[in-house]
Amino acid sequence: MSPRPDVSAERKAQILDAALRVFARKGFHKARMDDIAQEAGLSKGLLYWYFRSKDALIEALLTVLFEPDLRDLERLLADTARPIPERLRELARNALSTLLPYRDLMPIVYEFYALATRPGPVQKAIQAYYRRYRQLLAQLLRQGIQRGELRADLDPELTALGILAQFEGLALLWIIGPEELDIEHQWEAIAEHTLRTLLPPTAP
Amino acid sequence: MSPRPDVSAERKAQILDAALRVFARKGFHKARMDDIAQEAGLSKGLLYWYFRSKDALIEALLTVLFEPDLRDLERLLADTARPIPERLRELARNALSTLLPYRDLMPIVYEFYALATRPGPVQKAIQAYYRRYRQLLAQLLRQGIQRGELRADLDPELTALGILAQFEGLALLWIIGPEELDIEHQWEAIAEHTLRTLLPPTAP
DNA sequence: ACATATCCTGACCGTTTGGTCAGGTTTCCT
DNA sequence: AGGAAACCTGACCAAACGGTCAGGATATGT
């Protein structure tokens, strides 16, 4: 059939990988297509063989950056054998340990947020991400309430929103001023404090 | 002395105001200096009479956007007559009612956050803003603890961080997907829930 | 009236950069 | 061997845009 072996999957990955590094280093605007081509060890023309435009390349990165988190949460939700508080703790730990090694990439995330501020494909994608994240987290909480492992008077949706907001807020504060807070310690402390407010009241 | 009346203050304000609107509409990158000049009803050359460069103009907006919040909090901290929980409630209400009418301007804030992701004057300024905000809020909490109006076992710095993070996170989620959440109701509910965790335990 | 500092204009320029394209090269199939 | 589809290159282009500047205009003090 094809007169040449299909390398498009590898090439796309190679380009996305290079783009990720270059965008992280210089930002969407200051990064030139030539930079990405050089970083990937390819010619600029080839970038346009695989991606319609710079914007298309940027949008393709959305999936790369945001999908993994959802996968993590889905896995956690399906792991019904373990108690909910334990799984919530792991969620917090996961979020933190995703943050730390990917610190260099975080600037890209915030450029996406800035884009998501206005209507467009990026906004749509990130809205969908948050919607799904809140759904999954609320479902996890609902599971905990039904099992009696969390307070019965909890509003799952509202609580999920609160937790997500706190994650996002802390990440933002840390990225902007890493030396202003001891992220590992304070993340853990805040998560633990929040978790305590979710547990059913116990007679002292 | 001066052969002409000094209009520099008004002109600067006029330019900053126009810049704010244009940047909010189009973003830092897509907004052209010509757009701003037109919006202000001035010539492009004049922009460069009052501001060294486009970047300088952008940086000047930092103060315009972030100072008012600090003023609010300072005022609240100085208002020592009123009980702390009441003042915290007002803080939450203020934050919300700043958000709503300024929704159109919020995109700028997130562009600043994206910039603050990398070292530079914007990062410095926003770091300073957050540092100050956390200090003031922690001080307010400390006041409440000393007065016995808040739990004695509270860590003021950590709690301040948690509250600020939740504010920021909620604002982010709302800006990106306004139709995904009922900000007024959920903000209020989350703030009230958080506040309850700060109050001293009362015998039921 | 005149000098002068400040304020203001808009045509112009140099550079930057996303995107294109004509022209390869490689591998497989017949 | 030869054709064809896929893959790849890098010089080139046109538009956009930040910034400049020569040349005014205007109000004030003398």
Side-chain angles (χ1 to χ4, degrees):
Chain A
M1 270 296 120
S2 43
R4 279 182 66 175
D6 188 343
V7 296
S8 65
E10 305 149 60
R11 261 324 148 271
K12 279 187 182 177
Q14 180 182 0
I15 292 171
L16 286 173
D17 189 61
L20 209 58
R21 282 198 302 272
V22 173
F23 283 140
R25 216 157 47 222
K26 312 180 88 172
F28 288 155
H29 174 230
K30 284 192 180 171
R32 287 161 297 155
M33 291 301 268
D34 283 308
D35 294 330
I36 296 168
Q38 191 177 19
E39 178 85 18
L42 302 168
S43 69
K44 185 165 70 164
L46 196 58
L47 300 191
Y48 286 91
W49 179 267
Y50 291 103
F51 295 93
R52 197 191 331 285
S53 66
K54 188 180 183 181
D55 282 346
L57 183 51
I58 288 174
E59 278 165 40
L61 287 178
L62 269 172
T63 316
V64 177
L65 281 174
F66 288 86
E67 276 295 306
D69 283 344
L70 287 179
R71 290 288 138 73
D72 261 22
L73 187 49
E74 275 165 354
R75 197 176 36 66
L76 219 53
L77 183 63
D79 194 4
T80 50
R82 298 162 59 204
I84 298 291
E86 187 186 313
R87 282 189 270 165
L88 288 174
R89 271 196 200 87
E90 182 172 328
L91 178 65
R93 219 173 19 244
N94 279 354
L96 179 58
S97 61
T98 305
L99 224 54
L100 292 176
Y102 287 84
R103 189 180 154 186
D104 291 347
L105 297 183
M106 294 307 285
I108 300 188
V109 174
Y110 290 94
E111 292 207 71
F112 273 127
Y113 288 166
L115 289 179
T117 265
R118 302 161 205 287
V122 173
Q123 184 179 71
K124 277 228 169 81
I126 295 189
Q127 275 178 4
Y129 164 77
Y130 278 137
R131 190 162 41 231
R132 184 105 184 91
Y133 199 101
R134 285 173 59 185
Q135 276 173 359
L136 290 168
L137 186 50
Q139 214 170 327
L140 191 65
L141 293 171
R142 221 174 284 118
Q143 218 176 86
I145 295 168
Q146 281 167 358
R147 294 180 180 200
E149 294 174 2
L150 299 180
R151 298 177 65 109
D153 61 347
L154 236 48
D155 178 337
E157 279 78 22
L158 189 66
T159 309
L161 178 63
I163 291 174
L164 178 55
Q166 205 155 44
F167 276 10
E168 287 292 341
L170 267 181
L172 173 67
L173 293 173
W174 177 64
I175 292 299
I176 288 179
E179 60 276 5
E180 306 283 335
L181 52 85
D182 174 0
I183 185 70
E184 302 196 52
H185 176 249
Q186 292 180 315
W187 182 282
E188 155 95 28
I190 286 179
E192 196 57 43
H193 173 264
T194 300
L195 182 58
R196 255 199 309 279
T197 72
L198 305 182
L199 298 177
T202 54
Chain B
M1 270 295 123
S2 43
R4 289 204 26 198
D6 188 343
V7 296
S8 65
E10 306 149 60
R11 261 326 148 269
K12 278 187 183 177
Q14 180 181 0
I15 292 171
L16 287 173
D17 190 59
L20 209 58
R21 283 198 301 273
V22 173
F23 284 141
R25 217 158 46 223
K26 313 180 90 172
F28 287 156
H29 174 230
K30 286 192 179 172
R32 288 161 294 155
M33 291 301 268
D34 283 308
D35 295 330
I36 296 168
Q38 191 176 20
E39 179 85 18
L42 303 169
S43 69
K44 184 164 70 163
L46 197 59
L47 301 190
Y48 287 90
W49 178 266
Y50 290 103
F51 295 94
R52 198 190 332 286
S53 66
K54 188 179 182 181
D55 282 347
L57 184 50
I58 289 174
E59 278 165 40
L61 287 178
L62 270 172
T63 316
V64 177
L65 281 173
F66 288 86
E67 276 295 306
D69 283 345
L70 288 178
R71 290 288 138 74
D72 261 22
L73 189 48
E74 274 164 355
R75 196 176 36 69
L76 219 51
L77 183 63
D79 193 5
T80 48
R82 298 162 59 204
I84 297 292
E86 187 186 313
R87 281 189 269 165
L88 288 174
R89 271 196 200 88
E90 181 172 329
L91 178 64
R93 218 173 20 244
N94 279 354
L96 178 59
S97 60
T98 305
L99 225 53
L100 293 176
Y102 287 83
R103 189 179 154 188
D104 293 345
L105 298 183
M106 294 308 284
I108 300 188
V109 173
Y110 290 94
E111 292 207 71
F112 273 126
Y113 288 166
L115 288 179
T117 266
R118 303 162 204 288
V122 173
Q123 184 179 70
K124 277 227 169 83
I126 295 190
Q127 275 178 4
Y129 164 76
Y130 278 138
R131 189 163 40 232
R132 184 103 183 91
Y133 199 101
R134 286 172 58 185
Q135 277 172 358
L136 290 169
L137 186 50
Q139 214 171 327
L140 191 64
L141 293 171
R142 219 174 287 118
Q143 218 176 87
I145 295 168
Q146 281 168 358
R147 294 181 181 201
E149 295 174 0
L150 299 179
R151 298 178 65 108
D153 61 347
L154 236 48
D155 177 336
E157 279 78 22
L158 189 66
T159 309
L161 178 63
I163 291 174
L164 178 55
Q166 205 154 44
F167 275 10
E168 287 292 342
L170 267 181
L172 173 67
L173 292 173
W174 177 64
I175 292 299
I176 289 180
E179 62 276 5
E180 306 282 335
L181 53 85
D182 175 359
I183 185 71
E184 302 196 54
H185 176 249
Q186 293 181 315
W187 181 283
E188 156 94 29
I190 287 179
E192 196 57 41
H193 172 265
T194 300
L195 182 58
R196 256 199 309 278
T197 72
L198 304 183
L199 297 178
T202 54

